[in-house]
């Protein structure tokens, strides 16, 4: 009885999720329980078809001490005509061909990652690109990137790659100190690094990145500063700064524990991060993502598909794709991968989803990925997809951190809003981002807070509980 | 006995002869009563399978009369082996079925006037063999079958079995044929059958009141003492309980099979401590069976029959109760005067509520309806009580139409230890509520009130009879109801008096104002009288410990050349946390300890607050003695510093008395946490990592913006 009379009343009181007005806090307090059922639980509309492809080329001369990627160490005696290379690329092309095209959209970005893709002969790279072109099409202005390691290519090889269409290079420098490169098991020295930089620049690649690793064992503040200075001097358009992760099962994992000598302490490591932010910032690089810096206009478009939670293909050993709402990881062992390709051809497996995604998962992914960027979370879009109560809860949980400067609220003109003005209806919070560097440094902690908010929206109220709350309110 | 049974399995016929003639004639009269015969041993022998067929046929007949007619006299009545073995098998087998047969013929309790009834209890220090001895007596009388049913038959709860303790009273009725000395047995008149009620009581001090009520239904006790360990603290406490109740005490020196057994030394202790005649002590081993045959005769001959009057109006003592899902509350009762019949209208004196005796009977050993309970008898009553809260231990039950003077000694439960119980996961309040409701159905002695803590959310303030009771309650909550709880530091009920003359009883330190408007003019705390018995070499460290705990020595004496007996007055608060463990550890486990409640005494007490970033954590507030406040405050702050993780801001931990900060620690802000890159393939991995981190946060308790791990609350229990 009560249910049948109250429910319609309630719904009549509830504004539609896409209410154009910013709801008042009072409204949020009175209606959240049922609201999220209407907004978060239903699946979001099917995502657009992918226009990005990640290609995994797993070959390395040897495994670096920190690496837990699915790679194939060829050994130093390997030659470009190593049958393992051609055999793998053959399977890779078969996988591309056997993949159901989600919808016909030409690719805007292609990213060759590894391993060390630059070990693969240009002819094989060419066959991969041709297969992609035949299958999906590649736009004229597509960004085609490749991770390249010093010592694995010369000017000739570089030029051949450029001819194939490669227009962005991500150079795995990691450090400018001989002893650090040796200590982390890299297959090159500083000489090769400098040579590689020269080659890339001389071959007319405008868009290129230097990748560095911070917090290596025995790395001193001076060494880190030197690496950053030399990077700036090399004038790449993009710099990636990775914080060393000690992964289980790696050599470093056996030798070191985070925060303990010879690894830098937590405080020191935080200082390294801040130093990078300062030095690169001073050199006019935008810190546009937690670990990425670029000159204006040189963001990595491919990586942005990840951070915008857009779909992408993934091909090759251990790679992950995000098609039709499904994150699918391919086998990490070569034989398993080859079997997978076989099964894919025979229609026994499917690597894409049915287009349905659970709202909560999407909300978490969106928050996690967008808060890694300097652009931050677009609250307006987020509210349209997931409802305003969740946005208000996010603001509420972040309020102390807005106050302490870890989180920044921005208006539609991307002007920051002071914490006292948060409740001011005149200035709507349109974006929310983590501050650089303090907020970025604690991103895991802060994002986990947001997860708590999203999670509690979902696992709270059964319908009955929501109703009970309602009744109480009506009684009062 | 075990040995016999083994040989019997191999040579059934030979075994019968062995049992028949190997016993000393001095005990023959008692020993060869039918009850013993049918329980002595039943060999589990497949070769005897054909006999069970016979038993099925014979079961229809009246077992009791059968056994009586079969007046076996081992000396005069030689029966052929074959016939005997068959009959014996019938008698011996299926003691449960035998009792079923007996039930079918419904035990006629009117055959047992008070002079044929003995009500007794077994009291002992923990692990001195009380439960095993009870098992043996139940087996000896055929009440349970040897080797069947679980050991510690009367300890039904998992927690009782695991800890080897009894927390709920149980009763068991046994039948035993015995000719009393002086009774001439030669005229062919058979020995009378006695009805023996074993009332199993908790042994621990927390349940002193329950024990005293159980003892009130007895006329005597078996005081069991371990032959090697001798008199221990609980032995002393239990002895005095029995002694003050004017009960006959039958000393039993048990475990004499141990290599270190020294019964003479124990006899000397019994003499010097309790003035018990050494020649009265029975020497037994419940393990090997040695000496057990003397026990029941001693019970019958030494313990007087219950003194009640059959012709008086009904007065029944309520011993304990438990909740049965199907039958509701089942009360254990002892009929002091008068007669209770099924269908009688009865009332409880303490609650004034009336009921109908829907079902009554004896525990033999399970519920066995008899339709009647007569003066002096002990059994159960099902009366439609909805909750055990209505069944107050020690209450008097009487015929509604015939009001009586209640039996003396009834006291409402007195709660001495309080602690807050909160769901470990805040969202589990309903689950905990449900678990507590169901558990208190079976343990009405816990007081439960809802309370709210800013740190821990909704929870309960629970009052317990004592420490063990609290522990047992926690354990049962977790074991029987799967509840995960955070418990606040146990506290005792303090009394604070303010300058305006008002008084406040504080069961939860958080409820005492930190900066009261009225000045505190006096405070009182409950004290106990503790009995400690230790080998003399540990005297030094024990005295140091007790002094640290603000103990005041009352008595110091030697039990014998090696052992010291000490009495101390101690604030209850000082033994609530960790005292017994400490005592055990400094005496390598040799100390025995017991205590009884004593009066309130004035003390210089202060409230110690713990503040996180300036916010008091209500669940961490404690009341401590002024002289200890600084040390405790420092320890608490230090402990917390070690268990609270670094967070995104600096955290200050302060211990304060009123507005005075007495200790401070700081946890510096987290600088950075993992900054993995996050590309396509990393999204899932990263998500999982962050979700794990989120789950971790969810389990934390929060005060202001500070997350407190559950571990912090557990750690606090370790600081006294």
């Amino acid at each position: 009885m009560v249910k049948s009379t109250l429910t319609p009343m309630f719904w009549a009181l509830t504004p539609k999720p896409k209410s154009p007005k910013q709801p008042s806090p009072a409204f949020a307090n009175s209606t959240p329980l049922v609201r999220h059922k209407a907004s978060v639980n239903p699946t979001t509309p099917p995502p657009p078809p992918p226009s990005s492809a990640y290609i995994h080329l797993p070959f390395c001369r040897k495994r670096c001490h920190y690496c837990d990627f699915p790679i194939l160490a060829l050994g130093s005696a390997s030659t470009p005509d190593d049958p393992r290379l051609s055999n793998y690329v053959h399977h890779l092309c078969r996988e591309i061909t056997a993949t159901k095209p989600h919808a016909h959209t030409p690719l805007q970005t292609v990213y060759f990652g590894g391993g060390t893709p630059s070990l693969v002969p240009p002819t094989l790279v060419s066959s991969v690109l041709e297969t992609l072109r035949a299958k999906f099409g590649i736009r004229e202005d597509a960004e085609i990137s490749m991770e390249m390691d010093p010592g694995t290519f010369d000017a000739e090889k570089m030029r051949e790659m450029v001819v194939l269409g490669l227009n962005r290079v991500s150079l795995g420098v990691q450090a400018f100190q001989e002893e650090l490169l040796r200590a982390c098991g890299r297959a090159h020295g500083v000489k090769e690094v400098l040579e590689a930089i020269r080659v890339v620049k001389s071959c007319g690649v405008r868009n290129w990145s230097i990748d560095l690793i911070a917090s290596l064992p025995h790395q001193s503040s001076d060494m880190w500063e030197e690496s950053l200075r030399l990077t700036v001097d090399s004038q790449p358009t993009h710099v990636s700064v990775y914080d060393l992760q000690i992964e289980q099962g790696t050599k470093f994992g056996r030798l070191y524990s985070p925060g303990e000598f010879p690894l830098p302490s937590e405080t020191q490591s935080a200082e390294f991060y801040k130093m990078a932010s300062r030095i690169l910032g001073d050199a006019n690089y935008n810190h546009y993502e937690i670990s990425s810096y670029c000159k204006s206009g040189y963001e990595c478009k491919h990586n942005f598909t990840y951070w915008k939670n857009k779909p992408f293909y993934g091909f090759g050993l251990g790679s992950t794709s995000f098609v039709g709402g499904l994150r699918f990881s391919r086998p990490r062992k070569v034989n398993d991968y080859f079997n997978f390709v076989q099964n894919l051809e025979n229609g026994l497996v499917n690597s894409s989803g049915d287009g349905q995604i659970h709202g909560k998962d999407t909300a978490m992914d969106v928050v996690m990925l967008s808060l890694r960027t300097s652009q931050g979370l677009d609250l307006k879009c987020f509210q349209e997809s997931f409802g305003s109560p969740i946005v208000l809860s996010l603001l509420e949980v972040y309020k102390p951190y807005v106050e302490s400067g870890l989180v920044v609220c921005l208006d539609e003109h991307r002007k920051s809003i002071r914490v006292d003005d948060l409740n001011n209806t005149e200035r709507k919070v349109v974006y929310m981002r983590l501050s650089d560097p303090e907020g970025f440094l604690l991103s895991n902690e802060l994002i986990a807070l947001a997860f708590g908010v999203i999670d509690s929206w979902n696992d709270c109220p059964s319908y009955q509980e929501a109703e009970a709350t309602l009744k109480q309110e009506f009684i009062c | 006995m075990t040995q016999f049974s083994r040989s019997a399995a191999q040579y059934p016929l030979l075994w019968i002869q062995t049992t028949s003639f190997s016993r000393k004639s001095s005990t023959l009269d008692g020993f060869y009563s039918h009850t013993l015969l049918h329980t002595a041993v039943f060999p589990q022998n497949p070769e005897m399978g054909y006999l069970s067929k016979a038993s099925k046929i014979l079961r229809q007949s009246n077992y009791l009369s059968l056994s009586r007619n079969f007046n076996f006299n081992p000396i005069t009545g030689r029966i052929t082996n074959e016939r005997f073995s068959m009959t014996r098998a019938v008698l011996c087998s299926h003691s449960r079925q035998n009792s079923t047969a007996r039930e079918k013929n419904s035990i006629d309790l009117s055959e047992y006037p008070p002079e044929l009834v003995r009500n007794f209890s077994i009291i002992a220090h923990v692990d001195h063999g009380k439960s095993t001895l009870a098992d043996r007596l139940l087996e000896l009388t055929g009440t349970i079958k040897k080797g069947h049913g679980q050991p510690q038959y009367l300890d039904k709860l998992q927690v009782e079995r695991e800890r080897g303790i009894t927390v709920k009273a149980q009763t068991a009725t046994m039948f035993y044929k015995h000719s009393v000395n002086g009774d001439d047995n030669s005229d062919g008149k058979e020995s009378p059958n006695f009805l023996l009620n074993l009332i199993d009581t908790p042994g621990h001090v927390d349940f002193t009141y329950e024990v005293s009520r159980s003892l009130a239904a007895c006329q005597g006790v078996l005081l069991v003492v371990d032959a090697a360990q001798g008199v221990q603290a609980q032995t002393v406490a239990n002895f005095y309980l029995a002694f003050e109740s004017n009960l006959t005490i039958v000393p039993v020196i048990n475990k004499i099979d141990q290599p270190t057994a020294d019964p003479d030394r124990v006899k000397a202790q019994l003499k010097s401590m309790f003035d018990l005649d050494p020649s009265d002590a029975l020497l037994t081993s419940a393990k090997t069976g040695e000496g057990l045959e003397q026990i029941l005769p001693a019970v019958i001959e030494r313990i007087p029959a219950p003194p009640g009057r059959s012709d008086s109006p009904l007065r029944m003592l309520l011993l304990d109760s438990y909740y049965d899902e199907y039958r509701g509350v089942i009360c254990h009762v002892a009929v002091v005067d008068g007669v209770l019949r099924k269908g009688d209208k009865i009332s409880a004196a303490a609650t004034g509520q009336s009921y109908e005796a829907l079902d009554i009977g004896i525990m033999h050993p399970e519920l066995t309806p008899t339709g009647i309970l007569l003066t002096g008898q002990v059994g159960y009553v099902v009366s439609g009580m909805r909750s055990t809260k209505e069944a107050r231990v020690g209450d008097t039950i009487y015929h509604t139409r015939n009001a009586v003077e209640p039996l003396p000694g009834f006291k409402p439960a007195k709660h001495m230890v309080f602690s807050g119980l909160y769901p470990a996961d805040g969202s589990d309040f309903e689950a905990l509520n449900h678990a507590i409701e169901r558990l208190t159905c079976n343990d009405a002695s816990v007081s439960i009130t809802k309370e709210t803590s800013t740190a821990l959310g909704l929870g309960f303030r629970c009052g317990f009879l004592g420490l063990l009771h609290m522990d047992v309650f926690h354990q049962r909550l977790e074991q029987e109801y799967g509840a995960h709880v955070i418990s606040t530091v146990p506290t005792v009920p303090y009394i604070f008096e303010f300058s305006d003359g008002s008084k406040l009883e504080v069961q939860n330190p958080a409820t005492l104002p930190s900066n009261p408007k009225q000045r505190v003019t006096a405070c009182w705390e409950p004290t106990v009288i503790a009995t400690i018995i230790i080998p003399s070499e540990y005297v030094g460290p024990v005295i140091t410990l007790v002094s640290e705990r603000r103990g005041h020595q009352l008595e110091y004496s030697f039990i014998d050349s090696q052992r010291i007996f000490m009495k101390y007055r101690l604030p209850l608060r000082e033994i609530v946390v960790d005292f017994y463990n400490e005592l055990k550890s400094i005496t390598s486990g040799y100390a025995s300890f017991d205590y009884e409640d004593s009066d309130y005494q004035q003390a210089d007490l202060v409230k110690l607050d713990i503040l996180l970033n300036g916010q008091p954590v209500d669940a961490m507030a404690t009341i401590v003695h002024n002289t200890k406040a600084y040390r405790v405050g420092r320890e608490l702050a230090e402990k917390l510093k070690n268990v609270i993780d670094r967070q995104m801001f600096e955290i200050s931990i302060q211990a304060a008395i009123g507005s005075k900060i007495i200790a401070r620690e700081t946890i510096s802000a987290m600088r950075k946490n993992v900054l993995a890159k996050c590309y396509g393939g990393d999204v899932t991995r990263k998500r999982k990592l962050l979700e794990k981190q989120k789950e971790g946060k969810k389990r934390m308790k929060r005060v202001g913006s500070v997350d407190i791990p559950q571990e912090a609350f557990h750690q606090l229990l370790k600081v006294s």
Side-chain angles (χ1 to χ4, degrees), chain A residues 388-455:
Chain A
S388 48
I390 212 168
V391 171
L392 289 166
S393 303
L394 277 177
L395 284 170
E396 191 59 39
V397 85
Y398 278 148
K399 209 169 170 182
Y401 306 102
V402 174
E403 213 166 337
S404 64
L406 296 180
V407 177
V408 185
C409 288
L410 305 166
D411 65 11
E412 52 192 331
H413 309 296
R414 300 197 61 87
K415 291 256 164 55
S416 94
I417 303 173
R418 290 210 332 257
V419 70
D420 319 331
D421 283 347
L422 279 183
N423 294 331
N424 184 343
T425 44
E426 298 292 297
R427 292 187 69 193
K428 278 186 244 166
V429 181
V430 179
Y431 301 97
M432 194 161 63
R433 58 158 295 186
L434 307 186
S435 66
D436 173 18
E438 279 81 7
F440 278 158
L441 271 168
L442 294 170
S443 61
N444 280 0
E445 206 65 18
L446 290 162
I447 293 169
L449 279 181
F451 274 26
V453 170
I454 296 168
D455 195 51

Side-chain angles (χ1 to χ4, degrees), chain A residues 100-164:
Chain A
K100 276 193 275 175
H102 201 68
H104 197 75
T105 311
L107 299 174
Q108 290 184 21
T109 72
V110 175
Y111 192 100
F112 291 97
T116 312
S118 48
L119 277 178
V120 178
T123 48
L124 291 177
V125 174
S126 167
S127 68
V128 175
L129 283 170
E130 280 319 306
T131 312
L132 285 172
R133 195 164 280 128
K135 182 77 188 178
F136 309 104
I138 300 177
R139 278 171 58 149
E140 274 300 296
D141 59 349
E143 176 192 275
I144 301 180
S145 312
M146 183 181 278
E147 290 175 355
M148 303 184 82
D149 275 9
T152 62
F153 64 95
D154 53 15
E156 190 194 336
K157 193 174 189 176
M158 187 71 248
R159 266 192 293 273
E160 281 179 69
M161 295 286 195
V162 170
V163 169
L164 294 175

Side-chain angles (χ1 to χ4, degrees), chain A residues 68 242-243 245 266-267 269 271 274 306-307 327 361 365 372 440-442 444-445 455 459, chain B residues 646 649 670-681 683 685-687 690 693-694 697-698:
Chain A
D68 72 338
Y242 302 130
D243 194 62
Q245 300 296 302
E266 188 190 300
T267 310
S269 176
E271 287 307 319
K274 289 184 189 168
Y306 302 142
W307 301 326
R327 293 193 190 273
D361 287 338
D365 283 350
R372 292 182 64 91
F440 278 158
L441 271 168
L442 294 170
N444 280 0
E445 206 65 18
D455 195 51
D459 67 20
Chain B
R646 289 224 256 171
F649 38 81
M670 178 195 290
R671 299 301 309 274
K672 159 200 155 198
N673 54 11
V674 190
L675 280 172
K677 59 182 172 184
C678 186
Y679 295 154
V683 173
R685 182 151 73 150
K686 185 89 183 160
R687 256 277 298 272
L690 291 174
Q693 208 164 328
K694 171 210 75 187
K697 281 186 189 298
K698 214 165 123 184

Side-chain angles (χ1 to χ4, degrees), chain B residues 84-110:
Chain B
F84 175 67
S85 66
M86 213 174 134
T87 322
R88 240 200 68 72
V90 173
L91 297 177
C92 291
S93 69
H94 314 298
S95 69
R96 295 238 168 198
Q97 286 168 16
N98 286 336
S99 58
T100 316
R102 201 183 275 159
E103 282 154 31
K104 275 183 186 154
N105 295 293
S106 68
I107 296 162
D108 184 0
L109 289 184
S110 64

